[in-house]
Amino acid sequence: MSGKHLNLKLKIWRQSGPQTAGSFVDYQIEVSPDDSFLEMLDELNNKLESEGKEPIAFESDCREGICGTCGLVINGQPHGPIPKIATCQLHMRNFNNGDTIWIEPFRAKAFPVLKDLIVDRSGFDAIMNAGGFISVNTGGVPDANEILIPKEIASASMDAAACIGCGACVAACKNASAMLFVSAKVSQFALLPQGKPERFRRVEKMVKVMDDLGFGSCTNTYACEAECPKGISVTNIARMNREYFLAKVKSKELEV
Amino acid sequence: MVKLDSKIPEGHISEKWTNHKFNMKLINPANKRKYDVIVVGTGLAGASAAASLAELGYNVKAFTFHDSARRAHSISAQGGINAAKNYQNDGDSVYRLFFDTVKGGDFRAREANVYRLAEVSNNIIDQCVAQGVPFAREYGGLLDNRSFGGAQVSRTFYARGQTGQQLLLGAYSALSRQVGLGKVKMYSRREMLELVVVDGIARGIVCRNLVNGEIEKYSAHAVIVATGGYSNVFFLSTNAMNCNTTAIWRAHKKGALFANPCFTQIHPTCLPVHGEGQSKLTLMSESLRNDGRIWVSKKKGDMREPNDIPEEERDYYLERKYPSFGNLSPRDISSRSAKEVVDEGRGAKGQEAVYLDFEDAIKRLGRKAIEEKYGNLFEIYETITGENPYAVPMKIYPAPHYTMGGLWVDYNLMSNIPGLFVLGEANFSDHGANRLGASALMQGLADGYFVIPYTIGNYLAADKPEKLSVDHAEFENVKKQTEDLTKKFLSINGKQTVDDIHKRLGRIMWNKVGMGRNENGLKEAVNEIRELREEFWKDVKVPGNDKDINQTLERVGRLADYFELGELMAVDALNRNESCGGHFREEYQTEEGEALRNDEEYTYVAAWEMEELGKWKLHKEDLQFEYVKLSTRSYK
Ligand SMILES: Cc1cc2nc3c(=O)[nH]c(=O)nc-3n(C[C@H](O)[C@H](O)[C@H](O)COP(=O)(O)OP(=O)(O)OC[C@H]3O[C@@H](n4cnc5c(N)ncnc54)[C@H](O)[C@@H]3O)c2cc1C
Ligand code: SF4
Ligand code: FES
């Protein structure tokens, strides 16, 4: 631990509010390689505050890669250069003395900037409200072991459920598509017996809201999977497309 | 006059909850929609409560300072959730879970509450599975369990190392469904700053819209607060960055009693502090202690690399002091022992850290076996520290993790202010002086899914509280008070930053109100906290304004509350002249250094009423142990 300090030049996006134009501002900082990326920003903010200047607004909470609150585009990559980690898990030892680092918010039409590096991702909640659940009320459910679920199925469902709702997939996609996020939720439930009764309703409703909110369409570039901190697989997108197709067929059948 | 009435129902412990449910007043389904309920906090406790109440028909307004309910701190729980299913046929039962929890809490929790917790634990698992929570399973398709936190039965349900995430996402999806149906109105990016109390009854809240800075007023027939724990009073803890005490502390200042504030849990296996810039501490799963051996050098100030320290110069202090439990000694004992050796100057390379060594385990089981068991954790360790734990022993150190204390509540989870209910980590109710692993998730969901839906109905039906208009003078007063406080923060314009001062407060708390406490230290702590508080109010600097996102303003308010709570924690620790669970008073220990309870004088809940800042009145709720006999723990 504790190697030599790094001298870095930071180019950070500053934008005072949703309606104002933003721009990159230069900062110089010296940090320990043991610091995390966000600790570097803490230190910079502490310095700005002590000078009476407004600190850089950015979000984080768990700092363990699980809550999905953090999310910055670092040198053009959502969550930075190291695969399969969230921004809060990135450490400064992955940078070199003298580096210039560009820091921006996640950008997408459906994720408007609120201030500096903070964006509004409430679109994800709106999609969830439309269908991201199994319709059961509290109480009156069967004993947990009455539903047998093969280990492989539970495990595949868990793979999809691991999504932290960070939005990096949207930020990585040139169309700002939310397909990876939505398909992860659809898959988690579609795989499980409990989720089957309303699988078609669910996928139709979620996709509709996704489209209404201005998330783009998927053109299979797979940039989302590459930047996803949880390694959510694009096979989920294929599964969702199947579910959606089946849902359409089903609703046609019902019309007859 | 505050009167403590725990409202424990009559009857045998196994029948109390059933009888109570039967005796409670009901509201007919059509009338529920005439009632508004505010739920502050949408972690496990709050989200499960909000969803369940909305399903019943109440109009719910749910508040969180996060941008989404899915971000609550509950999401980072790793290990698992307990339930008394006895799926493993290994002798578990509701009674055993109850027994273990009372004993684990070192006899400072209310028996009736703990029993109910154990009783509803099974319903929680059923509920979560029905919601689609992908718990780990066996090949036959049944649910898998593991043992956790020193329990002798396998009763812990888990979803990989992400149990809290999956449970929270389950509760969040139930909540989302109700938001979609229009039964819950979700207010995100709102921080509750005050409770509004009129004629002694909780009527609503005042909060800050964190995006535009507006101070907003909301009224309802009842207010539920489920805002989590206060470990961040130590600055560094395993809690998420934004966890804070503001909601419960401001309610305390409006008359709600604060119970057992000094009961805090220090977790033994966290990553040590790497430097001044450290922002929080990371928990490493306790399971590592199953195979790792904990040691430090026998010599003081030994700066050698761990691998250069020969076997005979190492002190495996837990194995030496507690031969039968060794490296698996309970959380409080292992934490304290680590601090002792560090205080003796024997920390790893002079740092505040001890070694957790897998060399023997790798020799015994092979690297592959260790990789299978802990590969994921070793990776996390390497990402954070840059060191390879297969080759060099890990460094670990205890860190503040969980707060058993919180607002006092009766059996119905209602505080002494009628209409104010408190759930989850924010209340004091079920864990006594020490919480067992995998029991916090259980409690949060028990409170939200299975307790509050009953007890709030009883309150509304029996007390028939009135909903006031937000134009009522008291709402205006409280709003004004909040705006004035904001102006005050912005106008101090001193020289020190919020974090710099918070770190200093954290240092006082850690050194004197942390793992080992003594009379002198606690008295010094009270003085030091007061002095620093004065300095804070004169010299803190908050840039920006109150009209948009201002994260410094958010933090300064939280710190102001920590200063007051910190003092009360010291006062409570000073009052409790005994050691129990996570509260260790150095004066009260056995010859072997074990916690020495004083059941004669301290078998009570210490519930504090604030008379003015720096002056609290103690109310005692005596605890009766009718079913689990008072006994001493021994881990020798
Ligand atoms: C690293 C870690 C691992 C853990 N692992 C386990 C485990 O394996 N098993 C276990 O049982 N327990 C575990 N715990 C403990 C457990 O996670 C917590 O005790 C529990 O999740 C708390 O849930 P809660 O609903 O009470 O509060 P939280 O989840 O903290 O939620 C609090 C909510 O209140 C909101 N809030 C707070 N203040 C305000 C305010 N003023 N205004 C508006 N909203 C507010 C927040 O936004 C949030 O929505 C762990 C804890 C940590 C730190
Ligand atoms: S799919 Fe991956 S990138 Fe997208 S929100 Fe989920 S975790 Fe983030
Ligand atoms: S802060 Fe929680 S994922 Fe990064």
Side-chain angles (χ1 to χ4, degrees):
Chain A
M1 277 203 231
S2 288
K4 267 180 61 187
H5 274 55
L6 307 172
N7 260 306
L8 303 165
K9 189 167 180 185
L10 308 177
K11 292 187 170 286
I12 303 180
W13 185 260
R14 308 264 353 216
Q15 180 174 339
S16 58
Q19 313 308 339
T20 50
S23 64
F24 285 99
V25 176
D26 288 359
Y27 300 92
Q28 196 79 36
I29 192 160
E30 198 186 302
V31 290
S32 152
D34 289 332
D35 276 0
S36 72
F37 196 85
L38 296 184
E39 283 168 351
M40 171 184 74
L41 291 182
D42 291 339
E43 284 167 42
L44 176 60
N45 274 346
N46 203 44
K47 185 162 162 284
L48 292 174
E49 281 181 28
S50 69
E51 292 162 359
K53 295 182 186 141
E54 265 205 69
I56 296 142
F58 71 94
E59 284 189 294
S60 76
D61 204 28
C62 73
R63 299 218 174 171
E64 294 186 8
I66 193 75
C67 72
T69 309
C70 65
L72 301 174
V73 175
I74 299 164
N75 288 340
Q77 275 184 291
H79 293 307
I82 309 291
K84 294 205 182 158
I85 58 171
T87 303
C88 58
Q89 294 168 292
L90 179 63
H91 280 72
M92 297 317 294
R93 67 180 73 86
N94 296 299
F95 295 88
N96 297 313
N97 193 29
D99 279 358
T100 297
I101 307 177
W102 295 77
I103 307 171
E104 298 167 74
F106 281 0
R107 295 186 196 275
K109 182 169 156 229
F111 288 170
V113 172
L114 293 177
K115 184 171 183 175
D116 295 340
L117 304 171
I118 301 180
V119 299
D120 177 1
R121 286 169 289 190
S122 56
F124 275 8
D125 290 315
I127 297 172
M128 284 292 293
N129 297 344
F133 45 78
I134 290 174
S135 297
V136 289
N137 285 355
T138 302
V141 299
D143 183 88
N145 259 350
E146 265 176 42
I147 312 166
L148 294 183
I149 304 177
K151 191 179 168 79
E152 301 76 18
I153 296 289
S155 178
S157 174
M158 179 63 217
D159 286 342
C163 162
I164 59 173
C166 62
C169 46
V170 177
C173 176
K174 65 179 165 52
N175 310 318
S177 163
M179 287 289 271
L180 195 61
F181 167 78
V182 180
S183 69
K185 205 33 91 189
V186 165
S187 291
Q188 176 196 343
F189 291 143
L191 281 160
L192 297 173
Q194 307 92 300
K196 294 251 176 357
E198 54 188 330
R199 60 194 273 212
F200 300 131
R201 217 178 121 81
R202 175 182 308 116
V203 69
E204 284 190 302
K205 292 201 155 190
M206 291 179 84
V207 168
K208 171 147 196 332
V209 174
M210 173 180 86
D211 291 342
D212 290 351
L213 288 173
F215 289 101
S217 54
C218 172
T219 51
N220 301 317
T221 61
Y222 302 156
C224 52
E225 186 188 78
E227 301 299 352
C228 172
K230 294 291 138 181
I232 303 294
S233 157
V234 291
T235 56
N236 289 304
I237 298 184
R239 184 181 295 108
M240 180 162 94
N241 285 336
R242 268 195 318 273
E243 292 286 314
Y244 191 74
F245 175 74
L246 283 173
K248 287 289 166 212
V249 173
K250 272 272 175 301
S251 51
K252 279 255 156 29
E253 278 173 4
L254 290 176
E255 275 166 27
V256 187
Chain B
M1 239 318 267
V2 177
K3 230 177 79 234
L4 283 189
D5 178 1
S6 59
K7 304 228 171 77
I8 298 172
E10 294 297 316
H12 186 268
I13 190 122
S14 62
E15 287 158 8
K16 287 181 193 291
W17 180 231
T18 311
N19 292 344
H20 190 52
K21 281 194 287 187
F22 181 73
N23 291 328
M24 279 192 276
K25 289 206 164 62
L26 300 175
I27 300 176
N28 93 44
N31 279 343
K32 291 204 179 81
R33 68 186 148 80
K34 296 184 185 150
Y35 289 99
D36 290 355
V37 179
I38 284 175
V39 179
V40 187
T42 48
L44 282 179
S48 57
S52 304
L53 293 175
E55 287 160 8
L56 287 172
Y58 297 107
N59 297 311
V60 177
K61 298 187 178 104
F63 296 80
T64 165
F65 63 69
H66 286 101
D67 67 317
S68 160
R70 67 179 297 148
R71 315 267 187 234
H73 168 61
S74 294
I75 204 133
S76 39
Q78 305 165 352
I81 177 167
N82 287 333
K85 284 283 195 188
N86 193 30
Y87 282 160
Q88 305 307 323
N89 197 29
D90 58 358
D92 202 6
S93 61
V94 167
Y95 204 87
R96 187 179 294 281
L97 177 54
F98 155 67
F99 183 91
D100 288 354
T101 310
V102 169
K103 200 163 166 243
D106 222 359
F107 299 93
R108 292 296 175 263
R110 210 186 267 150
E111 274 190 332
N113 283 56
V114 178
Y115 193 91
R116 176 179 61 193
L117 174 66
E119 209 177 336
V120 303
S121 67
N122 292 338
N123 303 78
I124 297 173
I125 303 304
D126 299 342
Q127 190 63 37
C128 296
V129 167
Q131 289 169 344
V133 169
F135 283 122
R137 296 198 172 245
E138 311 267 13
Y139 281 107
L142 296 173
L143 289 160
D144 190 19
N145 290 118
R146 61 182 171 204
S147 71
F148 198 72
Q152 285 167 310
V153 291
S154 279
R155 63 159 73 103
T156 305
F157 294 78
Y158 65 101
R160 294 203 186 131
Q162 289 131 272
T163 316
Q165 178 197 27
Q166 293 310 314
L167 295 177
L168 181 65
L169 293 182
Y172 162 69
S173 69
L175 176 63
S176 300
R177 174 169 162 246
Q178 295 305 316
V179 176
L181 292 170
K183 285 305 290 179
V184 175
K185 173 101 179 76
M186 189 70 215
Y187 296 88
S188 55
R189 296 191 190 274
R190 301 296 203 294
E191 180 144 311
M192 167 182 164
L193 294 179
E194 289 294 346
L195 178 73
V196 181
V197 180
V198 180
D199 300 331
I201 298 174
R203 309 287 185 167
I205 60 168
V206 159
C207 47
R208 178 167 190 266
N209 178 324
L210 300 180
V211 178
N212 62 20
E214 282 294 318
I215 302 296
E216 304 169 339
K217 304 173 286 184
Y218 297 93
S219 84
H221 294 91
V223 177
I224 296 173
V225 167
T227 49
Y230 51 87
S231 294
N232 279 349
V233 67
F234 292 96
F235 187 74
L236 289 178
S237 82
T238 63
N239 285 16
M241 300 296 288
N242 297 303
C243 290
N244 68 85
T245 190
T246 293
I248 58 172
W249 189 255
R250 306 262 172 108
H252 172 59
K253 291 174 85 170
K254 286 272 178 346
L257 301 189
F258 208 115
N260 299 335
C262 80
F263 286 171
T264 45
Q265 180 168 78
I266 313 281
H267 198 291
T269 52
C270 303
L271 298 188
V273 176
H274 64 65
E276 258 309 293
Q278 184 100 20
S279 58
K280 72 159 294 223
L281 295 167
T282 304
L283 178 73
M284 293 302 284
S285 167
E286 221 167 347
S287 63
L288 291 169
R289 293 202 279 146
N290 285 315
D291 287 299
R293 297 181 71 194
I294 297 175
W295 63 275
V296 288
S297 170
K298 287 184 178 162
K299 278 202 325 214
K300 287 184 182 178
D302 193 338
M303 299 305 280
R304 284 176 292 178
E305 291 297 327
N307 288 338
D308 296 339
I309 302 180
E311 193 58 31
E312 62 279 8
E313 292 178 36
R314 299 177 177 188
D315 177 14
Y316 295 90
Y317 56 88
L318 284 176
E319 297 173 20
R320 173 170 59 78
K321 290 190 343 195
Y322 306 98
S324 57
F325 273 76
N327 296 301
L328 287 173
S329 300
R331 288 182 177 176
D332 50 340
I333 291 180
S334 354
S335 295
R336 266 194 320 271
S337 305
K339 182 164 187 288
E340 260 166 44
V341 294
V342 164
D343 288 349
E344 288 166 20
R346 298 196 287 136
K349 290 176 86 181
Q351 295 163 8
E352 293 197 332
V354 298
Y355 294 115
L356 176 63
D357 197 336
F358 288 86
E359 193 183 347
D360 286 350
I362 293 174
K363 271 194 208 134
R364 186 162 41 96
L365 306 165
R367 175 171 165 142
K368 191 140 185 293
I370 294 298
E371 228 175 86
E372 265 168 27
K373 264 177 140 167
Y374 308 113
N376 184 17
L377 294 167
F378 277 36
E379 255 175 56
I380 297 179
Y381 183 85
E382 191 166 356
T383 307
I384 298 177
T385 64
E387 286 182 0
N388 172 7
Y390 294 101
V392 190
M394 282 187 179
K395 287 197 207 98
I396 56 163
Y397 204 57
H401 178 58
Y402 183 87
T403 48
M404 282 74 71
L407 291 187
W408 183 88
V409 288
D410 64 14
Y411 186 76
N412 297 316
L413 303 183
M414 188 163 89
S415 71
N416 58 302
I417 301 178
L420 173 67
F421 293 80
V422 191
L423 319 184
E425 195 174 338
N427 73 24
F428 88 104
S429 74
D430 300 352
H431 308 292
N434 178 47
R435 173 180 71 81
L436 293 179
S439 288
L441 301 181
M442 171 172 72
Q443 183 226 331
L445 291 180
D447 290 359
Y449 285 134
F450 297 110
V451 179
I452 194 72
Y454 292 91
T455 59
I456 208 168
N458 186 49
Y459 167 73
L460 296 172
D463 285 39
K464 302 197 171 55
E466 206 190 325
K467 182 185 164 191
L468 300 183
S469 152
V470 291
D471 298 328
H472 186 284
E474 184 58 13
F475 273 90
E476 272 306 312
N477 276 344
V478 175
K479 179 177 180 208
K480 171 96 181 18
Q481 181 192 338
T482 312
E483 286 165 343
D484 290 348
L485 183 63
T486 305
K487 283 200 193 93
K488 168 115 211 249
F489 285 133
L490 289 168
S491 68
I492 297 172
N493 199 18
K495 285 191 214 54
Q496 299 181 63
T497 64
V498 176
D499 277 6
D500 285 344
I501 301 181
H502 195 167
K503 281 181 193 177
R504 288 170 63 196
L505 172 65
R507 222 50 229 172
I508 300 173
M509 296 303 294
W510 178 244
N511 289 333
K512 298 185 172 164
V513 200
M515 262 184 286
R517 303 155 171 183
N518 60 53
E519 189 181 342
N520 277 343
L522 289 165
K523 285 183 173 157
E524 282 164 21
V526 170
N527 286 333
E528 287 171 29
I529 294 167
R530 288 182 176 174
E531 275 166 32
L532 188 60
R533 184 165 63 217
E534 232 170 81
E535 195 178 321
F536 162 81
W537 281 106
K538 281 195 196 114
D539 201 35
V540 76
K541 189 176 200 99
V542 182
N545 65 61
D546 62 351
K547 296 283 177 286
D548 71 341
I549 294 178
N550 186 340
Q551 295 172 309
T552 322
L553 191 57
E554 292 165 27
R555 281 183 289 120
V556 77
R558 297 168 186 170
L559 178 56
D561 295 332
Y562 280 138
F563 266 113
E564 302 180 357
L565 167 65
E567 180 175 339
L568 180 61
M569 287 168 72
V571 166
D572 184 41
L574 202 50
N575 169 68
R576 197 169 274 278
N577 289 308
E578 64 162 351
S579 295
C580 56
H583 167 64
F584 192 74
R585 279 283 301 270
E586 286 155 2
E587 304 94 318
Y588 307 102
Q589 50 180 306
T590 63
E591 269 171 34
E592 295 92 35
E594 301 277 3
L596 190 60
R597 281 198 331 254
N598 177 347
D599 293 333
E600 286 281 294
E601 289 176 85
Y602 292 96
T603 310
Y604 66 73
V605 175
W608 298 92
E609 178 190 358
M610 192 186 221
E611 293 182 323
E612 59 188 79
L613 183 53
K615 198 158 161 245
W616 282 274
K617 184 165 169 204
L618 174 63
H619 299 263
K620 298 177 185 175
E621 180 197 332
D622 288 322
L623 294 168
Q624 256 85 46
F625 291 91
E626 290 177 56
Y627 298 89
V628 189
K629 288 272 157 307
L630 283 161
S631 64
T632 313
R633 309 188 297 172
S634 172
Y635 293 96
K636 280 271 157 186

